[in-house]
Amino acid sequence: MTPKVLRTEVLAGLVVALALIPEAISFSIIAGVDPSVGLFASFTMAVVISVAGGRPAMISAATGAIALVVAPLAREHGLSYLVAAVILGGLFQITLGALGVAKLMRFVPRSVMVGFVNALAILIFMAQVPELVDVPWMVYPLVVGALLLMVFFPRITKAVPAPLVSIIALTALTIGAGIAVPTVGDKGTLPSSLPVPGLPDVPFTVDTLKLIAPYALALALVGLMESLMTAKLVDDLTDTHSNKTRESIGQGIANVVTGFFGGMGGCAMIGQTMINVKNGARTRLSTFLAGVFLMILCIVFGPVVSDIPMAALVAVMILVSFGTFDWHSVAPATLKRMPTGEITVMIATVAVVVATDNLAIGVVAGTITAMVIFARRVAHLAIVTPVVDPDGNQVVYTVNGELFFASSNDLVYQFDYANDPDKVIIDLASAHVWDASSVAALDAITTKYAARGKTVEIIGLNEHSAKMHGALSGELSGSH
């Protein structure tokens, strides 16, 4: 590694660590746990994924998506159960990774991806609302000031992250002017030492497993979806390929380790990863150093971090939510051009996520909606055109399109059984037989003609279709 590359990686790691602190604390608050829980998670996730992950330069830490999944469990049953769920979630991720779940990402439609990102943005914003209710009036101008600073500061320089400048400015102002507003310290004490590994303090019973398993599975799915989506984004940005299966297993290992160190779990972070890659980082070193610098900042500079006003963090998260939302997807010009089905899928994904507070359920619901719309759209793709010979002795039916369970249902009704001549030819040269339903439909057509004393000849089958038809024809009805 050349000195120039080393300097780039070190600086990128430091900038990411600084940007991680407010987010890790904010996500801890969303999850309803002490700031130290999110900070430990960000430290262990970043350090472990830098070794175990499949996408160099990608940052994994405590995230809003994971915080939203585990918040109900932490609220109702406490930190020990949350930690147990994180460890189990990690084991689920290792299993899913080994089973090749990364390959399933290709089946998640783009409209579901857009819905996922937009729903995540809405949930992050909604999580800030409680911090703006029943608070001293000074909180509101501070939030507005922080937002303005983050919007306009990058025009002066992009060398230092605007959120960090905003946090430092608001902290200096509130301390210097003695403004009494809620601070990070009010939310809980920051860590003063490194995390110590240990087992979660929960009973190891079937009841515990039943309680944590749904949260662990949701955590595993959300974490993998967000991580694989971010990895794909970095692949595109850097024109490099990453090992998605290794990334899936790496996320699991990182979450298991994080759980044993009392962290809240996490996954890849779109925002921090963008900061890292845009600062020129391309190797695992920047990810590793982001975690190390984060712990140094907390343990050495903990008292300063405790004085950060909550208004600054709320402003950071509001800006993150606005930056996360895909505004282009809801622009009138885009909506006008977009097929109704795609818009429906996006809205369904967002609506289910916001209603359930669960990103995984939303993605599954959106994908199923997309499948139903797709199946309906292609159900009528098989077009049948009859041509009767001039002498009237035979009719040739040309079938165009894909024959599968959805389209073959209509196929049977497109033939004139009563009035056709005695010889019927079905030409499938422009069609493809995909499944048993299609073979059964062709058998039904043959049977209907045979009942009227007419013969059917099927021609033009391609190799795959002929194989399927040869193996299954006559074997699908229960009469033999």
Side-chain angles (χ1 to χ4, degrees), residues 443-454:
D443 281 358
I445 293 162
T446 308
T447 307
K448 283 178 185 290
Y449 276 118
R452 292 171 171 81
K454 299 172 183 182

Side-chain angles (χ1 to χ4, degrees), residues 27 30 63-72 108 112-125 214-215 217-227 229 267-268 270 324 345-346 348-368:
F27 295 142
I30 290 172
T63 57
I66 299 297
L68 291 160
V69 168
V70 297
V108 178
V112 173
M113 294 270 202
V114 174
F116 169 89
V117 169
N118 289 349
L120 176 61
I122 292 167
L123 290 184
I124 291 173
F125 181 81
Y215 294 100
L217 186 60
L219 179 149
L221 293 173
V222 167
L224 285 180
M225 279 174 200
E226 193 147 317
S227 301
M229 281 162 63
C267 61
I270 294 176
T324 303
V345 169
M346 184 177 77
T349 306
V350 173
V352 173
V353 171
V354 173
T356 61
D357 258 13
N358 189 321
L359 289 149
I361 293 174
V363 169
V364 171
T367 305
I368 290 169

